[in-house]
Amino acid sequence: MGEAIQKMPRTERGRRTLRSLLDAAAAEFGEKGFHNASISGITTRAGAALGSFYTYFDSKDAIFRALVRDMSRRVKEHVAPAMAGAPDQLGAERQGLAAFLAFAREHKEIYRIIDEAEFVDPQSYRLHYETTAERIRERLQAAAERGEVRTDVSDIHAWAIMGMNVFLGLRYVVWADEEPSKVAAIASEMISDGLKPR
Amino acid sequence: MGEAIQKMPRTERGRRTLRSLLDAAAAEFGEKGFHNASISGITTRAGAALGSFYTYFDSKDAIFRALVRDMSRRVKEHVAPAMAGAPDQLGAERQGLAAFLAFAREHKEIYRIIDEAEFVDPQSYRLHYETTAERIRERLQAAAERGEVRTDVSDIHAWAIMGMNVFLGLRYVVWADEEPSKVAAIASEMISDGLKPR
Amino acid sequence: MGEAIQKMPRTERGRRTLRSLLDAAAAEFGEKGFHNASISGITTRAGAALGSFYTYFDSKDAIFRALVRDMSRRVKEHVAPAMAGAPDQLGAERQGLAAFLAFAREHKEIYRIIDEAEFVDPQSYRLHYETTAERIRERLQAAAERGEVRTDVSDIHAWAIMGMNVFLGLRYVVWADEEPSKVAAIASEMISDGLKPR
Amino acid sequence: MGEAIQKMPRTERGRRTLRSLLDAAAAEFGEKGFHNASISGITTRAGAALGSFYTYFDSKDAIFRALVRDMSRRVKEHVAPAMAGAPDQLGAERQGLAAFLAFAREHKEIYRIIDEAEFVDPQSYRLHYETTAERIRERLQAAAERGEVRTDVSDIHAWAIMGMNVFLGLRYVVWADEEPSKVAAIASEMISDGLKPR
DNA sequence: CATGAATGAGCATTCATTCAT
DNA sequence: GATGAATGAATGCTCATTCAT
């Protein structure tokens, strides 16, 4: 299903080279942006030869796409467990936001990479936000069914919440490096009031 | 006091050329993104010779910066009058959002241009959002003083609102081309509930 | 006889503009070299409009040529009177060299301009040195006829003397800004010994 | 210790490409001068692709600098052995001059290249002449200690001799293509008389 | 004569991608 | 698989020169 986004290494050595290329790409793209980043910058950071890049990726675009998916997967894996065990749906939402912000704090390059996807790989960009909004909407729906929030919640509310989260992360975590849980608390309060059952 | 961002034309003919270059740049950058846009693409659209570009701008970066400021100014000039004459501060906010969305609908390129400023001209990018957030915060403050919203409104609330507005504009106006006033109404309701006096 | 190297001004105002363009060109070419100099740099220094340049000169090359001739004329006019009234031919030579060096000290750009003529206007370059060498040879000839120097003086000797003078001027006057008469004295002594009658 | 003036090839093939670029540059710069020379002119002469130029040099300036040093080295290596085995210091000087002139006859471009360094790379220009003059001065010093020339020889004499040599080479070898040893003989006689012990 | 906007040929430089070893 | 030299299309920018006012 779908062409491979990168050629799969067959040896352990190859696996290590591939991983170091992805890490190097995250650093290079995060620091310079897609267009000012260079393949040679990536291979130098990875300690590999220029030509080795093409053993694993077909093009600069390909590694960028692979990186976006790699980071998406890692965020999800970081956020999901943090939401489990919350008393209610909105509590889970707050913990999820806090977990996302904490991840962004450790991986500030994620903002630049996702944002740049708008230009480099619009499909991934849309997919990323549509998937995220859809997950939020599903949780709002569940909350509505339990009477935690008003019943007319829609995708518009999901997008509004996502926009809030993204901008707060940009301003207070990426730029100002503030405490994620503090920001998450204020945001959650606004949301819960804005969506209170009526 | 500050270097000119573009050389000022001294004749009427020059004024026309400068304007057509800015308009052409908005189209070119909006369509192709900064890096895939070319000076010659801009001058061709503007009906000017390649060299004429450099009569008014020092570089590709310079026209981009000028364009960001030009668009900021135009949005502001479009939104400000729409807010006048609202019964209350939150009503003004809703009309302002609707006006912004209407502007974005006519000038969809504004999203790509502002977003790309994060990479091309980070200073303008921050300035744009910080200025916008500050204006929102001032209006919230005024609303608080009149008892229209809770008294502890802060810049965090301003950034949350801005993030909401931006993402709703992206999703429902730029991508889906929906009716701005409808989107603005739902968003405003969320805000007013989330910020209700307590 | 020969095409005009520059268009002749008919009014007093034009005469002033022409003169200021030549002076500005000397400064601009001396400071930046021919290729890095620009017409607009020249007109700006001269306080004239860009277009006015072409009222007096046909091209960048043309003003350079005009400048070389202008400076040649001025050196000659400065050096000639200094040689008059010397007791003998070699004394005249020394005084001439001192006068040339003094001129170069006041107009250091002359070196760069003449040297660059090798590339910009080879004809003027050759002409300049051939004329200068020829004048030296004629004076050596006269000195030989009076028994002041050996009788087999030739153009080789003239070129040797000229090379000496040029390099001493470059090293000690242009670069080190030393006293011209001191340098001229040592050079003259070497010459007179090297050319003593035998 | 000092940045490399050109990137060092790691393979034999690279070594060949680098050499052919330097030779091509000598021809291109010698024929057209620095500013009218083009990188593509150099690579075409070298039989290499345009981009290959930048595998070895950072810029047009860089290859020019490398070329000046390359030629300096080659002249020195050509002249040094010619001076060995002369009966006395002045004899060595004459043989050295003859060797230099012979080299210039085979590599006429050396004049244009060194002369143009005054504008393109003033540091190399000064260095070239200061080094050359210093070598002459040292030999004069040695000659003075053996009583072959007057004892008050100084750097002024060295510069005078160098100026002579350079201009004679220009006039009689580069322009007129005459026999180097004949010119060297006349020049040496002048020098030896001018510097005779007293 | 003066002015300054308009023109476009020309060129250095970058860098993703290919390929020989 | 790894290496790094070779390739060449693409484009930002300069500036002498022209020309309308």
Side-chain angles (χ1 to χ4, degrees), chain A residues 154-172:
Chain A
S154 68
D155 52 353
I156 295 196
H157 296 103
W159 275 83
I161 290 169
M162 180 168 67
M164 231 165 82
N165 292 352
V166 168
F167 268 64
L168 291 176
L170 176 66
R171 171 65 181 77
Y172 295 101

Side-chain angles (χ1 to χ4, degrees), chain C residues 115 118 150 189 193 198, chain D residues 115 118 150 189 193 198:
Chain C
D115 285 357
E118 177 178 358
R150 51 200 284 189
E189 192 215 25
D193 286 349
R198 41 206 58 192
Chain D
D115 285 356
E118 178 178 359
R150 49 200 285 189
E189 190 214 25
D193 286 350
R198 39 206 64 192

